């Protein structure tokens, strides 16, 4: 199975990884894993000041901060994974990546906001579900 795992480094990512570790059906050599972190685009005024290499290094550093403990998790599990970084609006990028990569399953943690919280703050999870054709496993 080709599995995309969307991560943001939050406590919800840790809950999701713990869930995966506790369910043997998600681990094993029969699966291909890609771990995705989406970095928010910087405002145009900020990007106008810095050259492309500096911006790329900034985004790479931010994503590596998120990836470091996840690399350790996969290493402890004895599983190889590809790590992918993208820039943009998280919900849109995750859904597009899942669909264009022809993944069999997308796994992600959910913050579990209330309906009012989603209305006020928006929700990456809602956006992914609304735009993604790939099956999604949400872990709260």
């Amino acid at each position: 199975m080709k599995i995309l795992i969307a991560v943001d480094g939050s406590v919800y990512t840790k809950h999701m990884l713990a869930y995966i570790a506790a369910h043997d059906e998600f681990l094993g050599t029969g699966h291909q894993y890609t771990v995705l972190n989406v970095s928010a685009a910087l405002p145009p005024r900020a990007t106008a000041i810095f050259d492309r290499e500096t911006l790329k290094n900034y985004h790479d550093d931010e994503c590596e901060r998120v990836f470091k403990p996840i690399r350790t998790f996969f290493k402890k599990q004895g599983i190889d994974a590809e790590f992918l970084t993208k820039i943009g609006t998280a919900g849109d990028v995750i859904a597009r990546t899942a669909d264009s990569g022809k993944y069999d399953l997308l796994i992600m943690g959910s913050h579990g906001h209330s309906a009012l919280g989603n209305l006020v703050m928006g929700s990456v999870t809602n956006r992914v579900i609304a735009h993604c054709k790939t099956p999604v496993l949400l872990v709260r």
Side-chain angles (χ1 to χ4, degrees), residues 34-106:
T34 302
V35 180
L36 171 66
N37 178 255
V38 180
S39 182
L42 296 173
R45 287 183 182 201
T47 59
I49 296 171
F50 300 103
D51 61 87
R52 281 188 176 185
E53 185 176 338
T54 301
L55 293 171
K56 182 184 180 322
N57 289 339
Y58 166 77
H59 286 292
D60 289 348
D61 289 347
E62 287 297 305
C63 288
E64 190 53 39
R65 181 184 55 77
V66 171
F67 286 155
K68 187 176 180 181
I70 297 166
R71 288 182 200 280
T72 302
F73 167 81
F74 275 98
K75 186 175 181 180
K76 282 182 182 176
Q77 300 297 326
I79 296 172
D80 291 324
E82 176 186 356
F83 287 80
L84 180 63
T85 63
K86 296 201 175 189
I87 299 169
T89 305
D92 295 334
V93 172
I94 293 167
R96 256 192 328 270
T97 302
D99 291 341
S100 67
K102 297 182 177 21
Y103 288 91
D104 299 307
L105 179 65
L106 165 61

Coordinates of all heavy atoms in Angstrom, one line a residue, residues 34-106:
T34 N 5.4 7.9 2.4 CA 5.9 9.3 2.2 C 5.4 10.2 3.3 O 4.2 10.2 3.6 CB 5.4 9.8 0.8 OG1 5.8 8.9 -0.2 CG2 5.9 11.2 0.5
V35 N 6.3 10.9 3.9 CA 5.9 11.8 5.0 C 6.0 13.2 4.4 O 7.0 13.6 3.8 CB 6.9 11.7 6.2 CG1 6.5 12.6 7.3 CG2 6.9 10.2 6.7
L36 N 4.9 13.9 4.5 CA 4.7 15.3 3.9 C 4.6 16.3 5.0 O 3.8 16.2 5.9 CB 3.5 15.3 3.0 CG 3.1 16.6 2.4 CD1 4.1 17.2 1.5 CD2 1.7 16.5 1.7
N37 N 5.4 17.4 4.8 CA 5.2 18.6 5.7 C 5.0 19.8 4.7 O 5.8 19.9 3.8 CB 6.4 18.8 6.6 CG 6.2 20.1 7.4 OD1 6.9 21.1 7.2 ND2 5.4 20.0 8.4
V38 N 4.0 20.5 5.0 CA 3.7 21.7 4.2 C 4.1 23.0 5.0 O 3.6 23.2 6.1 CB 2.2 21.8 3.7 CG1 2.0 23.0 2.9 CG2 1.8 20.5 3.0
S39 N 5.0 23.7 4.4 CA 5.4 25.0 5.1 C 4.6 26.1 4.4 O 4.4 26.2 3.2 CB 6.9 25.2 4.8 OG 7.4 26.3 5.4
A40 N 4.1 27.0 5.3 CA 3.3 28.1 4.8 C 4.2 29.1 4.0 O 5.3 29.3 4.4 CB 2.7 28.9 6.0
A41 N 3.6 29.6 2.9 CA 4.4 30.6 2.1 C 4.6 31.8 2.9 O 3.7 32.2 3.7 CB 3.6 30.8 0.8
L42 N 5.7 32.5 2.7 CA 6.0 33.7 3.4 C 5.2 34.9 2.6 O 5.0 34.7 1.4 CB 7.5 34.0 3.4 CG 8.3 33.0 4.3 CD1 9.8 33.3 4.1 CD2 7.9 33.1 5.7
P43 N 4.9 36.0 3.3 CA 4.3 37.1 2.6 C 5.2 37.6 1.5 O 6.4 37.6 1.6 CB 4.1 38.1 3.8 CG 4.3 37.4 5.0 CD 5.1 36.2 4.7
P44 N 4.5 38.2 0.5 CA 5.3 38.7 -0.7 C 6.4 39.7 -0.3 O 7.5 39.7 -0.9 CB 4.3 39.3 -1.6 CG 3.0 38.6 -1.2 CD 3.1 38.3 0.2
R45 N 6.1 40.6 0.7 CA 7.1 41.6 1.1 C 8.3 40.9 1.7 O 9.5 41.4 1.5 CB 6.5 42.5 2.2 CG 5.5 43.5 1.6 CD 5.1 44.5 2.6 NE 4.1 45.4 2.0 CZ 3.8 46.5 2.5 NH1 4.3 46.9 3.6 NH2 2.9 47.3 1.9
A46 N 8.2 39.8 2.4 CA 9.3 39.1 2.9 C 10.1 38.4 1.8 O 11.3 38.4 1.8 CB 8.9 38.1 4.0
T47 N 9.4 37.8 0.9 CA 10.1 37.1 -0.2 C 10.8 38.0 -1.1 O 11.7 37.6 -1.8 CB 9.1 36.2 -1.0 OG1 8.1 37.0 -1.6 CG2 8.5 35.1 -0.1
A48 N 10.4 39.3 -1.2 CA 11.1 40.2 -2.0 C 12.4 40.6 -1.5 O 13.3 41.0 -2.2 CB 10.2 41.5 -2.2
I49 N 12.6 40.5 -0.2 CA 13.9 40.9 0.4 C 15.0 39.8 0.3 O 16.1 40.2 0.1 CB 13.6 41.1 1.9 CG1 12.7 42.3 2.1 CG2 14.9 41.4 2.7 CD1 12.2 42.5 3.5
F50 N 14.6 38.6 0.3 CA 15.5 37.5 0.3 C 15.7 36.8 -1.0 O 14.7 36.7 -1.8 CB 15.1 36.4 1.4 CG 15.1 37.0 2.8 CD1 13.8 37.3 3.3 CD2 16.2 37.2 3.5 CE1 13.8 37.8 4.6 CE2 16.1 37.8 4.8 CZ 14.9 38.0 5.3
D51 N 16.8 36.2 -1.3 CA 17.0 35.5 -2.6 C 16.4 34.1 -2.4 O 16.1 33.6 -1.3 CB 18.5 35.4 -2.9 CG 19.3 34.7 -1.8 OD1 19.4 33.4 -1.9 OD2 19.9 35.4 -0.9
R52 N 16.3 33.4 -3.5 CA 15.6 32.1 -3.5 C 16.3 31.1 -2.6 O 15.7 30.3 -2.0 CB 15.5 31.5 -5.0 CG 14.4 32.2 -5.7 CD 14.3 31.5 -7.0 NE 13.1 32.0 -7.7 CZ 12.6 31.6 -8.8 NH1 13.2 30.6 -9.4 NH2 11.6 32.2 -9.4
E53 N 17.6 31.1 -2.7 CA 18.4 30.1 -1.9 C 18.1 30.3 -0.4 O 17.9 29.3 0.4 CB 19.9 30.2 -2.2 CG 20.7 29.1 -1.5 CD 22.1 29.1 -1.8 OE1 22.5 29.6 -2.9 OE2 22.9 28.5 -1.1
T54 N 18.1 31.5 0.1 CA 17.8 31.8 1.5 C 16.4 31.4 1.9 O 16.2 30.8 2.9 CB 18.0 33.3 1.8 OG1 19.3 33.7 1.4 CG2 17.7 33.7 3.2
L55 N 15.5 31.6 1.0 CA 14.1 31.2 1.3 C 14.0 29.7 1.3 O 13.3 29.1 2.2 CB 13.1 31.8 0.2 CG 13.0 33.3 0.3 CD1 12.2 33.8 -1.0 CD2 12.3 33.7 1.5
K56 N 14.6 29.0 0.3 CA 14.6 27.6 0.3 C 15.2 27.0 1.6 O 14.7 26.1 2.2 CB 15.4 27.0 -0.9 CG 15.3 25.5 -1.0 CD 16.1 25.0 -2.2 CE 16.1 23.5 -2.3 NZ 16.2 22.7 -1.1
N57 N 16.4 27.6 2.0 CA 17.0 27.1 3.2 C 16.1 27.3 4.5 O 16.1 26.4 5.3 CB 18.4 27.8 3.4 CG 19.4 27.4 2.5 OD1 19.3 26.3 1.9 ND2 20.4 28.2 2.3
Y58 N 15.4 28.4 4.5 CA 14.5 28.7 5.6 C 13.4 27.6 5.6 O 13.1 27.0 6.7 CB 13.8 30.0 5.5 CG 12.6 30.2 6.4 CD1 12.8 30.5 7.7 CD2 11.3 30.1 5.8 CE1 11.7 30.6 8.6 CE2 10.2 30.2 6.7 CZ 10.4 30.5 8.0 OH 9.3 30.6 8.8
H59 N 12.8 27.3 4.5 CA 11.7 26.3 4.5 C 12.2 24.9 4.8 O 11.6 24.2 5.5 CB 11.0 26.3 3.1 CG 10.1 27.5 2.9 ND1 8.9 27.7 3.7 CD2 10.1 28.6 2.1 CE1 8.3 28.8 3.3 NE2 9.1 29.4 2.4
D60 N 13.4 24.6 4.2 CA 14.0 23.3 4.5 C 14.3 23.1 6.0 O 14.1 22.1 6.6 CB 15.3 23.1 3.7 CG 15.1 22.9 2.2 OD1 13.9 22.7 1.8 OD2 16.0 23.0 1.4
D61 N 14.8 24.2 6.6 CA 15.1 24.1 8.1 C 13.9 23.9 8.9 O 13.9 23.2 9.8 CB 15.9 25.4 8.5 CG 17.3 25.5 8.0 OD1 17.8 24.5 7.5 OD2 17.9 26.6 8.1
E62 N 12.8 24.7 8.5 CA 11.5 24.5 9.2 C 11.0 23.1 9.1 O 10.5 22.5 10.1 CB 10.5 25.5 8.7 CG 10.8 27.0 9.1 CD 10.7 27.1 10.7 OE1 9.7 26.8 11.3 OE2 11.7 27.6 11.2
C63 N 11.0 22.6 7.9 CA 10.5 21.2 7.7 C 11.4 20.2 8.4 O 10.9 19.2 9.0 CB 10.4 20.9 6.2 SG 9.1 21.8 5.4
E64 N 12.7 20.4 8.4 CA 13.6 19.4 9.0 C 13.4 19.4 10.6 O 13.5 18.3 11.2 CB 15.1 19.7 8.7 CG 16.0 18.6 9.2 CD 15.7 17.2 8.7 OE1 15.2 17.1 7.6 OE2 15.8 16.3 9.5
R65 N 13.0 20.5 11.1 CA 12.7 20.6 12.6 C 11.5 19.7 12.8 O 11.5 19.0 13.9 CB 12.4 22.0 12.9 CG 12.0 22.2 14.4 CD 11.6 23.7 14.7 NE 10.5 24.1 13.9 CZ 9.2 23.8 14.0 NH1 8.9 23.0 15.0 NH2 8.3 24.3 13.2
V66 N 10.5 19.6 11.9 CA 9.4 18.7 12.1 C 9.8 17.3 11.8 O 9.3 16.4 12.5 CB 8.2 19.2 11.1 CG1 7.1 18.2 11.1 CG2 7.7 20.6 11.5
F67 N 10.6 17.1 10.8 CA 11.0 15.7 10.4 C 11.9 15.0 11.3 O 11.9 13.7 11.4 CB 11.6 15.7 9.0 CG 10.7 16.0 7.8 CD1 11.2 16.5 6.7 CD2 9.3 15.7 7.9 CE1 10.3 16.8 5.6 CE2 8.5 15.9 6.9 CZ 9.0 16.4 5.7
K68 N 12.7 15.7 12.1 CA 13.8 15.0 12.9 C 13.2 13.9 13.8 O 13.6 12.8 13.8 CB 14.6 16.1 13.6 CG 15.7 15.4 14.4 CD 16.6 16.5 15.0 CE 17.8 15.8 15.8 NZ 18.6 16.8 16.4
P69 N 12.2 14.2 14.6 CA 11.6 13.2 15.5 C 10.9 12.1 14.7 O 10.8 10.9 15.2 CB 10.7 13.9 16.5 CG 10.4 15.2 15.8 CD 11.6 15.5 14.9
I70 N 10.4 12.5 13.6 CA 9.6 11.5 12.8 C 10.6 10.5 12.1 O 10.3 9.3 12.0 CB 8.7 12.2 11.8 CG1 7.7 13.0 12.6 CG2 8.0 11.2 10.8 CD1 6.9 14.0 11.7
R71 N 11.8 11.0 11.7 CA 12.8 10.1 11.1 C 13.2 9.1 12.2 O 13.4 8.0 11.9 CB 14.0 11.0 10.7 CG 13.8 11.8 9.5 CD 15.1 12.5 9.1 NE 14.9 13.6 8.2 CZ 14.7 13.6 6.9 NH1 14.7 12.4 6.3 NH2 14.5 14.7 6.2
T72 N 13.3 9.6 13.5 CA 13.7 8.7 14.6 C 12.6 7.7 14.8 O 13.0 6.5 15.0 CB 13.9 9.6 15.9 OG1 14.9 10.5 15.6 CG2 14.3 8.7 17.0
F73 N 11.4 8.1 14.7 CA 10.3 7.1 14.9 C 10.3 6.0 13.8 O 10.3 4.8 14.1 CB 8.9 7.9 14.8 CG 7.7 7.0 14.6 CD1 7.2 6.3 15.7 CD2 7.2 6.7 13.3 CE1 6.1 5.5 15.5 CE2 6.1 5.9 13.2 CZ 5.5 5.3 14.3
F74 N 10.5 6.4 12.5 CA 10.6 5.4 11.5 C 11.8 4.5 11.6 O 11.7 3.3 11.3 CB 10.5 6.1 10.1 CG 9.1 6.4 9.6 CD1 8.5 7.6 9.8 CD2 8.3 5.4 9.1 CE1 7.2 7.9 9.4 CE2 7.0 5.6 8.7 CZ 6.5 6.9 8.9
K75 N 12.9 5.1 12.0 CA 14.1 4.3 12.2 C 13.9 3.3 13.3 O 14.3 2.1 13.1 CB 15.3 5.2 12.5 CG 16.6 4.5 12.6 CD 17.8 5.5 12.8 CE 19.1 4.7 12.8 NZ 20.2 5.6 13.1
K76 N 13.3 3.6 14.4 CA 13.0 2.7 15.5 C 12.1 1.6 15.0 O 12.2 0.5 15.5 CB 12.4 3.4 16.7 CG 13.3 4.2 17.5 CD 12.7 4.8 18.7 CE 13.6 5.6 19.5 NZ 13.0 6.3 20.6
Q77 N 11.2 1.9 14.1 CA 10.2 0.9 13.6 C 10.9 0.1 12.5 O 10.3 -0.9 12.0 CB 9.0 1.6 13.0 CG 8.2 2.4 14.0 CD 7.6 1.6 15.1 OE1 7.3 0.5 15.0 NE2 7.6 2.2 16.3
G78 N 12.1 0.5 12.1 CA 12.8 -0.3 11.0 C 12.2 -0.1 9.6 O 12.2 -1.0 8.8
I79 N 11.6 1.1 9.4 CA 10.9 1.4 8.2 C 11.5 2.5 7.4 O 11.9 3.5 8.0 CB 9.4 1.7 8.5 CG1 8.7 0.5 9.1 CG2 8.7 2.1 7.2 CD1 7.4 0.7 9.6
D80 N 11.7 2.3 6.1 CA 12.2 3.4 5.3 C 11.0 4.3 4.8 O 9.9 3.8 4.6 CB 12.8 2.9 4.0 CG 14.1 2.2 4.3 OD1 14.9 2.6 5.2 OD2 14.4 1.2 3.6
A81 N 11.2 5.6 4.8 CA 10.2 6.5 4.3 C 10.9 7.6 3.5 O 12.0 8.0 3.8 CB 9.4 7.1 5.5
E82 N 10.1 8.1 2.6 CA 10.5 9.3 1.8 C 10.0 10.5 2.5 O 8.8 10.5 3.0 CB 10.0 9.2 0.4 CG 10.3 10.4 -0.5 CD 9.6 10.4 -1.8 OE1 8.9 9.4 -2.1 OE2 9.7 11.4 -2.5
F83 N 10.8 11.6 2.6 CA 10.3 12.8 3.3 C 10.2 13.9 2.2 O 11.2 14.1 1.5 CB 11.3 13.2 4.4 CG 11.2 12.3 5.6 CD1 11.8 11.0 5.6 CD2 10.5 12.6 6.7 CE1 11.7 10.2 6.6 CE2 10.3 11.8 7.8 CZ 10.9 10.5 7.8
L84 N 9.0 14.5 2.2 CA 8.7 15.5 1.2 C 8.3 16.8 1.8 O 7.5 16.8 2.7 CB 7.6 14.9 0.3 CG 7.0 15.6 -0.8 CD1 8.1 15.8 -1.9 CD2 5.8 14.9 -1.4
T85 N 8.8 17.9 1.3 CA 8.4 19.2 1.7 C 7.8 20.0 0.6 O 8.3 19.9 -0.5 CB 9.7 20.0 2.3 OG1 10.6 20.2 1.2 CG2 10.3 19.3 3.4
K86 N 6.8 20.7 0.9 CA 6.1 21.6 0.0 C 5.7 22.9 0.6 O 5.6 22.9 1.9 CB 4.9 20.9 -0.6 CG 5.2 19.6 -1.4 CD 4.2 19.2 -2.4 CE 4.6 18.1 -3.2 NZ 3.8 17.8 -4.3
I87 N 5.5 23.9 -0.2 CA 5.2 25.2 0.3 C 3.8 25.6 -0.2 O 3.5 25.3 -1.4 CB 6.2 26.2 -0.1 CG1 7.6 25.9 0.4 CG2 5.8 27.6 0.3 CD1 8.7 26.7 -0.2
G88 N 2.9 26.1 0.7 CA 1.6 26.5 0.3 C 0.6 26.4 1.4 O 1.0 26.4 2.6
T89 N -0.7 26.4 1.0 CA -1.8 26.3 2.0 C -1.9 24.8 2.3 O -2.1 24.0 1.4 CB -3.1 26.8 1.4 OG1 -2.8 28.2 1.0 CG2 -4.2 26.7 2.4
A90 N -1.7 24.4 3.6 CA -1.6 23.0 3.9 C -2.7 22.1 3.4 O -2.4 21.1 2.8 CB -1.5 22.9 5.5
G91 N -4.0 22.5 3.6 CA -5.1 21.6 3.2 C -5.1 21.4 1.7 O -5.3 20.2 1.2
D92 N -4.9 22.4 0.9 CA -4.8 22.3 -0.5 C -3.7 21.4 -1.0 O -3.8 20.6 -1.9 CB -4.8 23.7 -1.2 CG -6.0 24.5 -1.0 OD1 -7.1 23.9 -0.7 OD2 -5.9 25.7 -1.0
V93 N -2.5 21.7 -0.5 CA -1.3 21.0 -0.9 C -1.4 19.5 -0.5 O -1.0 18.6 -1.3 CB 0.0 21.7 -0.3 CG1 1.2 20.8 -0.6 CG2 0.2 23.1 -0.8
I94 N -1.8 19.2 0.7 CA -2.0 17.8 1.1 C -2.9 17.1 0.2 O -2.6 16.0 -0.3 CB -2.4 17.7 2.6 CG1 -1.4 18.3 3.5 CG2 -2.8 16.3 3.0 CD1 -1.8 18.5 4.9
A95 N -4.1 17.6 -0.1 CA -5.1 17.0 -0.9 C -4.5 16.8 -2.3 O -4.7 15.7 -2.9 CB -6.4 17.8 -1.0
R96 N -3.9 17.8 -2.9 CA -3.3 17.7 -4.3 C -2.2 16.6 -4.3 O -2.1 15.8 -5.2 CB -2.7 19.0 -4.7 CG -3.6 19.8 -5.7 CD -2.9 21.0 -6.3 NE -1.9 21.7 -5.6 CZ -2.1 22.7 -4.8 NH1 -3.4 23.2 -4.7 NH2 -1.2 23.3 -4.1
T97 N -1.4 16.6 -3.3 CA -0.3 15.6 -3.3 C -0.8 14.2 -3.2 O -0.3 13.3 -3.9 CB 0.7 15.9 -2.1 OG1 1.2 17.3 -2.2 CG2 1.8 15.0 -2.0
A98 N -1.8 14.0 -2.3 CA -2.4 12.7 -2.2 C -3.0 12.2 -3.5 O -2.8 11.0 -3.9 CB -3.5 12.7 -1.1
D99 N -3.7 13.1 -4.1 CA -4.3 12.7 -5.4 C -3.3 12.5 -6.5 O -3.4 11.5 -7.3 CB -5.4 13.7 -5.8 CG -6.6 13.7 -4.9 OD1 -6.8 12.6 -4.1 OD2 -7.4 14.7 -4.8
S100 N -2.4 13.5 -6.7 CA -1.5 13.4 -7.8 C -0.5 12.3 -7.6 O 0.0 11.7 -8.6 CB -0.8 14.7 -8.0 OG 0.1 15.0 -6.9
G101 N -0.2 11.9 -6.4 CA 0.8 10.9 -6.1 C 0.2 9.5 -6.2 O 0.8 8.5 -6.0
K102 N -1.2 9.4 -6.4 CA -1.9 8.2 -6.5 C -1.7 7.3 -5.2 O -1.4 6.1 -5.3 CB -1.5 7.4 -7.7 CG -1.9 8.1 -9.0 CD -1.6 7.3 -10.2 CE -2.0 7.9 -11.5 NZ -2.2 9.2 -11.8
Y103 N -1.8 7.9 -4.1 CA -1.7 7.2 -2.8 C -2.9 6.4 -2.5 O -4.0 6.8 -2.9 CB -1.4 8.2 -1.7 CG 0.0 8.8 -1.7 CD1 0.2 10.0 -2.4 CD2 1.1 8.1 -1.2 CE1 1.5 10.5 -2.5 CE2 2.4 8.6 -1.3 CZ 2.6 9.8 -1.9 OH 3.8 10.3 -2.0
D104 N -2.7 5.3 -1.8 CA -3.9 4.4 -1.4 C -4.5 4.9 -0.2 O -5.7 4.7 0.1 CB -3.4 3.0 -1.2 CG -2.8 2.4 -2.5 OD1 -3.5 2.4 -3.5 OD2 -1.6 1.9 -2.4
L105 N -3.7 5.7 0.7 CA -4.3 6.1 1.9 C -3.5 7.3 2.4 O -2.3 7.4 2.2 CB -4.1 5.0 3.0 CG -4.6 5.3 4.4 CD1 -6.1 5.5 4.4 CD2 -4.2 4.2 5.4
L106 N -4.2 8.3 2.9 CA -3.6 9.5 3.6 C -3.9 9.4 5.1 O -5.1 9.2 5.4 CB -4.2 10.8 3.0 CG -4.0 12.1 3.8 CD1 -2.5 12.4 3.9 CD2 -4.8 13.2 3.1

